[in-house]
Amino acid sequence: MSADKNGDPFTTRAAADNAANDKESEIRKLVALWEGPLVEGVTLDQWKLMLAGRRRARGERDPYAGEITLREWAMTKWLPAQDLEDGSWKAYDQHLRLRILPAFGHLPVNALFGREGVQAWEIRLRKRYKPNVVENCRSLFATILGDARDAGMVDVNAATRRRRRGRVSVRRLIQAKSERPWLTPLTMFLLAERTAAQTGRDDDFIMWTTCGWCGLRWGELMGLQRPAYLGDKLVVDVQLSPPNGGPFVLKPPKDGSLRNDDPDFFGAVDLPPFLTQLLDYQIAKNLPADCGCDCGGSKFLFPNKSGGHHLHAAYKDFPWLQAVTGFGPARPPRDGRSIGSPPRPVLLECSSGFPGAPLTPAWPAATGADWEPPVVRGIPRYDLPIIDAEEVDCPRCAARPGSRCRSASGRPTKTHGRRIDAARDSGHVRYRELACWLPLKAGLTPHGLRHSHRVMLDELGTPRVLAYDRFGHTLPGIGGTYSHVSQSMRENLRARLQARWEQTLDERLALAPGSSVPFVDALLTEHHARRRHDRLPIVSRNSLEGAAADARSTSHHASSQRTWSTSRFDLRR
């Protein structure tokens, strides 16, 4: 031997002799356990494996197998051997580094047999984390110790939960699973409209409408490319995996839930007519371009503003969090620069219509009835009147209405005080219509739209086999064996989704006749005009003029198209 267990060379002869004696003693103990003829032509490690196999066949266990620490065994042997998706791998790694290994990582695996220590550790975790985090962490610990027990490293799995132990209230809290937040079709519409109002991009409205009405996961939504759009269907055969120390990567959807009409997989996602028109508009207004990374795809349907990919965490901070909760994220403190700030509500200017135009920077949240707008540097006084000085002539520089004031040298300058006074005297003063957004649903994540779509399908009476197929799931039990998706089912679903969309537009129009988002405003205007034309006029049955008018109206109704053109959006934009 020339080095110790850590690979460091020996510095003294005595240290080398001691290590050699220890190694020789270990081999003698193992040789004493061997039964049978001698084995030649194998290495020491191979012979140790053979010895361990013989002992396990006799029902014995190597008493020295579990002397490795949990940290070393879990991070170097157990975790690399798991075949996991990126998200699961990150969750496992986080539970190990932050919760399991700080408490048990220094202990040998064969010393983890006491249930009392595991239970005390779980009680400490409950004081810091949510119940589902604690439950998932203990479940992972039980999986690790279960594999260690199967490997003969420990006698019992101390992390398994025994039934009917502990306080009843705690057990019920652990067993109770809170319902994942979901949205109605109208609330999904408002969510998409709010995101577009913040970013100023139609893409966000179309993106979240597609997600909510197709039940897509975040990675599947980000991975949609133009070839996946087939007019009345949407092929979902890839998902865009976020970077884990490297670039974005295109991978198959979770659990192999490919929806591509292949007989070995599930059917492509059927699109109602309104969604076909939305995606047609999305493709027509955006030139095809590559993302510029090595993800393996091109011509994505929903790139970010710069043509790349959306990051889940960045999109959550803006505009998702503001649209869902009505508040922006809290600003963390920075050493030597700021003490941070709590979340601020989204402040809106509503003179342009519902849902309003966000104002930045926003005011802090009101703290009581006597709260007043802040008068500090860096925060505008949105409550003060706005004087439209350019609506009148300037008495000083003779600038005409609509043009800026100029200095004596003819260069543009700030508005002269005399012009401001003249505009105020003429009544060109207005006030902002300020408001804030109410929260849509606390705790909602993009995956909640997938749950929302399933609720919508149930409300529409969709057959279970079609609902499972649309989500990329296999219908369990005998129903999955004998149930099949027919073309008639798909056509009925398209029609019902289209009718539900038009009902959603009616509900949105009941809130406000227009929208501050030009794209949505044009959509609502087109729908309102179509609804108005669809109503038959009230006429007398005995009147020939009324009968003729009725016939003309019926003819117009039959020939009117149930589509809205993208040219309207282009004109209004």
Side-chain angles (χ1 to χ4, degrees):
M1 297 180 62
S2 60
D4 58 13
K5 294 181 179 180
N6 297 326
D8 299 327
F10 296 112
T11 56
T12 63
R13 181 182 182 85
D17 290 340
N18 292 335
N21 292 334
D22 293 341
K23 190 70 173 180
E24 184 178 357
S25 176
E26 177 187 356
I27 294 176
R28 285 178 178 175
K29 291 180 180 178
L30 294 176
V31 170
L33 299 174
W34 182 263
E35 297 178 359
L38 297 177
V39 179
E40 298 180 355
V42 296
T43 63
L44 177 61
D45 291 337
Q46 292 173 342
W47 181 76
K48 286 182 178 181
L49 290 176
M50 294 173 61
L51 176 61
R54 288 195 175 193
R55 298 188 63 183
R56 289 177 66 88
R58 295 196 300 264
E60 301 178 6
R61 184 175 66 85
D62 183 3
Y64 306 102
E67 291 186 351
I68 184 174
T69 63
L70 178 65
R71 182 183 303 275
E72 181 180 357
W73 183 74
M75 300 304 292
T76 62
K77 297 181 180 298
W78 183 84
L79 188 59
Q82 308 306 309
D83 186 13
L84 304 170
E85 295 286 347
D86 290 340
S88 300
W89 193 93
K90 291 179 181 179
Y92 281 26
D93 180 69
Q94 188 179 56
H95 283 312
L96 283 168
R97 289 186 299 101
L98 300 182
R99 304 174 186 96
I100 298 176
L101 296 183
F104 304 100
H106 63 287
L107 297 175
V109 177
N110 58 9
L112 299 174
F113 55 82
R115 295 182 180 273
E116 298 81 3
V118 177
Q119 188 64 27
W121 163 74
E122 181 183 357
I123 293 174
R124 293 195 301 269
L125 289 183
R126 289 196 204 123
K127 299 177 181 179
R128 298 184 56 189
Y129 301 101
K130 295 181 179 180
N132 64 323
V133 176
V134 178
E135 180 66 16
N136 293 337
C137 186
R138 175 151 182 172
S139 176
L140 174 61
F141 195 22
T143 301
I144 295 174
L145 292 187
D147 291 346
R149 184 190 58 187
D150 294 341
M153 304 176 70
V154 67
D155 290 330
V156 297
N157 186 348
T160 55
R161 194 182 302 278
R162 291 185 173 181
R163 298 185 60 184
R164 305 189 66 81
R165 291 295 182 92
R167 290 180 294 175
V168 176
S169 59
V170 176
R171 294 205 312 269
R172 288 178 177 174
L173 182 63
I174 294 173
Q175 295 171 359
K177 294 183 178 180
S178 59
E179 184 181 20
R180 183 179 289 270
W182 57 275
L183 302 179
T184 65
L186 174 61
T187 319
M188 283 195 296
F189 188 100
L190 296 178
L191 171 65
E193 188 178 13
R194 285 183 178 186
T195 58
Q198 294 178 87
T199 61
R201 304 176 70 228
D202 303 338
D203 305 52
D204 293 271
F205 178 84
I206 300 174
M207 180 174 71
W208 291 118
T209 302
T210 303
C211 180
W213 289 78
C214 293
L216 302 179
R217 302 181 180 96
W218 168 267
E220 296 169 350
L221 181 66
M222 295 297 103
L224 287 178
Q225 303 168 67
R226 297 197 177 201
Y229 172 58
L230 305 180
D232 60 344
K233 291 184 178 182
L234 200 61
V235 174
V236 182
D237 54 2
V238 294
Q239 67 174 352
L240 189 66
S241 180
N244 184 19
F248 286 91
V249 179
L250 284 177
K251 295 182 177 181
K254 181 180 178 181
D255 299 330
S257 54
L258 283 76
R259 281 146 279 171
N260 53 9
D261 284 340
D262 189 292
D264 295 331
F265 296 101
F266 304 95
V269 179
D270 299 292
L271 301 179
F274 82 89
L275 206 50
T276 297
Q277 295 153 12
L278 283 177
L279 293 176
D280 283 340
Y281 172 73
Q282 173 72 7
I283 292 176
K285 77 181 186 66
N286 293 323
L287 296 176
D290 293 334
C291 56
C293 69
D294 298 329
C295 63
S298 62
K299 300 178 182 179
F300 288 89
L301 280 178
F302 302 112
N304 61 19
K305 183 170 57 177
S306 59
H309 304 299
H310 290 289
L311 279 171
H312 190 283
Y315 200 96
K316 175 186 175 183
D317 289 341
F318 178 84
W320 179 269
L321 189 63
Q322 292 83 345
V324 172
T325 66
F327 281 80
R331 188 167 54 189
R334 293 187 293 177
D335 294 339
R337 301 189 64 181
S338 68
I339 60 174
S341 63
R344 294 186 177 186
V346 179
L347 189 62
L348 305 168
E349 162 64 276
C350 296
S351 60
S352 59
F354 183 88
L359 298 173
T360 54
W363 286 343
T367 55
D370 57 347
W371 181 86
E372 294 182 358
V375 185
V376 296
R377 184 177 181 180
I379 299 182
R381 291 294 303 273
Y382 299 116
D383 56 320
L384 296 180
I386 301 174
I387 302 175
D388 297 324
E390 292 189 3
E391 296 293 330
V392 300
D393 296 332
C394 181
R396 179 174 175 180
C397 64
R400 302 296 298 172
S403 60
R404 296 179 57 184
C405 291
R406 296 185 175 274
S407 62
S409 61
R411 295 181 178 180
T413 184
K414 64 180 182 180
T415 306
H416 294 133
R418 294 173 60 185
R419 187 178 191 180
I420 295 176
D421 295 338
R424 183 187 297 109
D425 296 339
S426 301
H428 295 284
V429 180
R430 57 186 175 89
Y431 288 86
R432 292 185 177 92
E433 300 177 13
L434 301 178
C436 293
W437 281 334
L438 294 174
L440 295 179
K441 182 73 72 169
L444 181 75
T445 63
H447 195 75
L449 298 186
R450 185 170 169 86
H451 290 251
S452 306
H453 186 62
R454 180 54 197 267
V455 175
M456 186 194 307
L457 294 181
D458 291 341
E459 291 178 344
L460 296 178
T462 307
R464 290 186 66 203
V465 63
L466 178 56
Y468 272 74
D469 182 85
R470 189 173 178 87
F471 277 79
H473 294 164
T474 301
L475 182 63
I478 196 69
T481 303
Y482 289 97
S483 299
H484 303 279
V485 179
S486 67
Q487 186 61 29
S488 176
M489 291 182 186
R490 297 186 181 278
E491 293 175 356
N492 290 337
L493 178 60
R494 287 195 186 100
R496 291 178 180 180
L497 289 175
Q498 179 68 23
R500 188 65 183 90
W501 169 257
E502 295 181 359
Q503 180 184 346
T504 302
L505 293 180
D506 292 335
E507 295 171 353
R508 171 59 182 83
L509 283 171
L511 296 178
S515 175
S516 58
V517 180
F519 177 80
V520 180
D521 184 69
L523 173 64
L524 295 174
T525 302
E526 183 76 16
H527 177 73
H528 178 69
R530 185 169 63 248
R531 285 298 196 197
R532 185 173 54 190
H533 291 161
D534 286 348
R535 297 192 185 97
L536 297 178
I538 301 176
V539 296
S540 173
R541 292 183 178 179
N542 298 327
S543 172
L544 294 177
E545 295 179 358
D550 190 18
R552 288 194 300 270
S553 176
T554 304
S555 175
H556 174 76
H557 172 67
S559 61
S560 62
Q561 297 181 352
R562 289 242 174 223
T563 61
W564 38 269
S565 63
T566 59
S567 61
R568 168 180 287 273
F569 301 117
D570 298 335
L571 292 175
R572 293 184 66 87
R573 287 170 60 85

